[in-house]
Amino acid sequence: MRVVLRGNALVLDEQQALPGRGGYVHRSVDCASKMAQPGRWERALRAASGSVDAAEVRRVTQAFLQQLSGGEGESPTVVAS
């Protein structure tokens, strides 16, 4: 799955058509867990250090993992600080 920085938010780019630098995460629990670690999204998107709020990354990771398990989760979106 491709993720891009749009304005002040990280959004899933399921169609892989949004402009800008994208980061990728596999549809797996292992990969999603790694991307929840501090600084991973900043490095992947070449964003300023600390520009992505850790609490929001955790929230999105939980929603993403819930989708992987077949649950009804909210749409994964991370709001940058």
Side-chain angles (χ1 to χ4, degrees):
M1 288 183 86
R2 183 172 188 256
V3 178
V4 295
L5 190 60
R6 301 286 293 166
N8 290 335
L10 287 174
V11 295
L12 292 177
D13 182 13
E14 295 186 47
Q15 303 299 316
Q16 298 191 4
L18 294 174
R21 180 166 183 83
Y24 292 86
V25 60
H26 294 101
R27 291 183 183 264
S28 73
V29 172
D30 185 49
C31 191
S33 296
K34 287 179 184 175
M35 290 309 292
Q37 295 173 0
R40 292 284 182 136
W41 284 116
E42 286 92 349
R43 277 193 303 272
L45 299 172
R46 295 185 183 164
S49 180
S51 63
V52 180
D53 182 38
E56 287 297 312
V57 171
R58 282 191 301 273
R59 183 188 66 76
V60 167
T61 301
Q62 289 172 351
F64 180 68
L65 292 173
Q66 191 173 22
Q67 284 183 352
L68 287 175
S69 67
E72 293 289 325
E74 57 187 274
S75 176
T77 302
V78 178
V79 178
S81 59

